[in-house]
Amino acid sequence: MAEAIQKKLKAEVEKYAQMQKDVSKSMSARQKLETQLTENNIVKEELDMLDSSNMVYKLIGPVLVKQDVDEAKATVAKRLEYINGEIQRYESLLKEMEKKSEKHREVLSSLQQEFQKAQGLAR
Amino acid sequence: MAVNLADLSLPQLEGLKSQLDQEVEFLTSSIGQFKVVQTKYVEAKDSLNVLNQSNKGKELLVPLTSSMYVPGTLNDVEHVLVDVGTGYYVEKNVEDSKAFFKRKIDFLTKQIEKIQPALQEKHAMKQAVIEVMSVKIQQLQQGQQASQMVGSTKA
């Protein structure tokens, strides 16, 4: 009896650890997006200060390519939109994971109690 | 949320201290990085001063590598290319570029000013934790000595 529960408990603990790993992975991905968001916001601010008399160049590999100010603005705006969307996606993902871990913790603690009880009986 | 430090056990205090240590280190390195970048911007702004009308057409040596130079002439003293981030370069005139660098330097100064109080606060907290820890350790040692004395008198 106790052994069966112990096996189950072990499997659950492993699952839980895997989930924690996923959570921290998503966390760092979200943080990266946050950095990109700040960076792109700074670029947007700079581009917004320009007028059509300014030339904009985009670094592609080792080459600087001439680009329209409006085009550059559109690219950055699109990028910002994408990053914001991704951040929201990760936010909801993390929330869901948090809920799942919460449930998992409950399952774990009840299993632990069961195990202790079974162990007590075995003795 | 307020927790009385004296209520915490030694291992808890130890944990708190290492956490504060990490935070202090993180903030210190952030400030260090900001200062490095700021110096770069200051240098860039200063080097713009060379680009004036009186230097137009003068000869200069252009570094191809760090140990090889080719001669050139300064043709355009009005325009420079400024890296604004994420691979975008903007052609600006000297005045605008100076304004750009000034903006960046001011921005960094503000960020550093924001971090500094947080760092000081963490420092003060760490100091408080260390103090409480040393008091606890002293109490522990005194307690041990007292129990030893009791033991030896009994023997």
Side-chain angles (χ1 to χ4, degrees), chain A residues 39 42-43 46 49-50 54-59 64 67 75 79, chain B residues 81 84-93 96 100 103-104 107:
Chain A
E39 207 177 337
I42 290 171
V43 176
E46 281 307 321
M49 271 180 242
L50 304 178
N54 288 98
M55 280 318 304
V56 177
Y57 297 83
K58 172 99 185 80
L59 188 71
L64 281 176
Q67 220 179 37
T75 314
R79 231 190 268 166
Chain B
L81 273 178
V84 294
T86 68
Y88 281 108
Y89 287 72
V90 180
E91 196 177 89
K92 286 174 180 283
N93 62 37
D96 283 352
F100 169 84
R103 257 202 324 274
K104 291 286 157 190
F107 173 75

Side-chain angles (χ1 to χ4, degrees), chain B residues 34-147:
Chain B
F34 275 142
K35 287 208 169 134
V36 169
V37 178
Q38 202 175 31
T39 322
K40 269 190 196 164
Y41 279 130
V42 170
E43 274 170 16
K45 192 168 164 244
D46 285 346
S47 55
L48 278 175
N49 288 328
V50 184
L51 291 177
N52 52 39
Q53 283 302 326
S54 64
N55 274 337
K56 191 173 178 176
K58 276 191 185 168
E59 272 199 11
L60 51 86
L61 289 168
V62 185
L64 281 190
T65 71
S66 57
S67 57
M68 190 172 72
Y69 298 78
V70 289
T73 45
L74 194 54
N75 203 359
D76 185 350
V77 289
E78 273 118 47
H79 296 100
V80 286
L81 273 178
V82 182
D83 183 356
V84 294
T86 68
Y88 281 108
Y89 287 72
V90 180
E91 196 177 89
K92 286 174 180 283
N93 62 37
V94 172
E95 281 316 305
D96 283 352
S97 306
K98 276 186 187 166
F100 169 84
F101 288 130
K102 190 178 178 311
R103 257 202 324 274
K104 291 286 157 190
I105 294 166
D106 288 347
F107 173 75
L108 288 170
T109 311
K110 255 187 222 150
Q111 296 299 314
I112 292 174
E113 277 170 2
K114 252 194 231 166
I115 297 180
Q116 217 110 45
L119 180 64
Q120 268 158 10
E121 195 187 322
K122 295 282 173 206
H123 247 307
M125 263 166 85
K126 201 178 112 185
Q127 226 54 50
V129 170
I130 290 173
E131 244 169 67
V132 175
M133 269 173 86
S134 68
V135 168
K136 289 230 166 181
I137 289 173
Q138 247 173 14
Q139 279 173 352
L140 209 66
Q141 278 172 343
Q142 272 169 3
Q144 262 171 0
Q145 271 169 5
S147 64

Side-chain angles (χ1 to χ4, degrees), chain A residues 4-121:
Chain A
I5 296 176
Q6 193 180 22
K7 242 185 209 167
K8 215 171 154 191
L9 189 65
K10 209 176 155 193
E12 285 295 318
V13 167
E14 263 167 29
K15 255 199 236 162
Y16 182 71
Q18 182 60 41
M19 211 147 74
Q20 288 301 311
K21 239 190 217 166
D22 286 346
V23 168
S24 75
K25 225 193 253 168
S26 297
M27 281 277 214
S28 65
R30 211 203 86 107
Q31 221 149 36
K32 232 189 208 162
L33 282 169
E34 203 81 49
T35 320
Q36 285 177 348
L37 183 73
T38 328
E39 207 177 337
N40 278 288
N41 265 325
I42 290 171
V43 176
K44 185 184 180 308
E45 264 172 46
E46 281 307 321
L47 290 180
D48 281 344
M49 271 180 242
L50 304 178
D51 51 50
S52 49
S53 70
N54 288 98
M55 280 318 304
V56 177
Y57 297 83
K58 172 99 185 80
L59 188 71
I60 301 172
V63 209
L64 281 176
V65 182
K66 220 179 226 180
Q67 220 179 37
D68 210 43
V69 178
D70 293 323
E71 205 183 317
K73 275 186 195 171
T75 314
V76 174
K78 222 182 274 167
R79 231 190 268 166
L80 279 172
E81 203 180 297
Y82 170 75
I83 293 171
N84 273 322
E86 279 294 280
I87 285 182
Q88 246 152 36
R89 196 170 71 83
Y90 270 103
E91 196 91 4
S92 55
L93 201 71
L94 277 170
K95 244 183 223 164
E96 216 170 285
M97 280 185 182
E98 195 52 51
K99 254 190 226 157
K100 263 193 205 161
S101 327
E102 188 76 37
K103 258 188 208 151
H104 223 116
R105 269 197 289 274
E106 278 167 26
V107 171
L108 272 179
S109 68
S110 71
L111 260 178
Q112 221 152 20
Q113 275 170 3
E114 235 176 280
F115 176 60
Q116 271 162 1
K117 236 190 255 166
Q119 230 177 9
L121 279 179

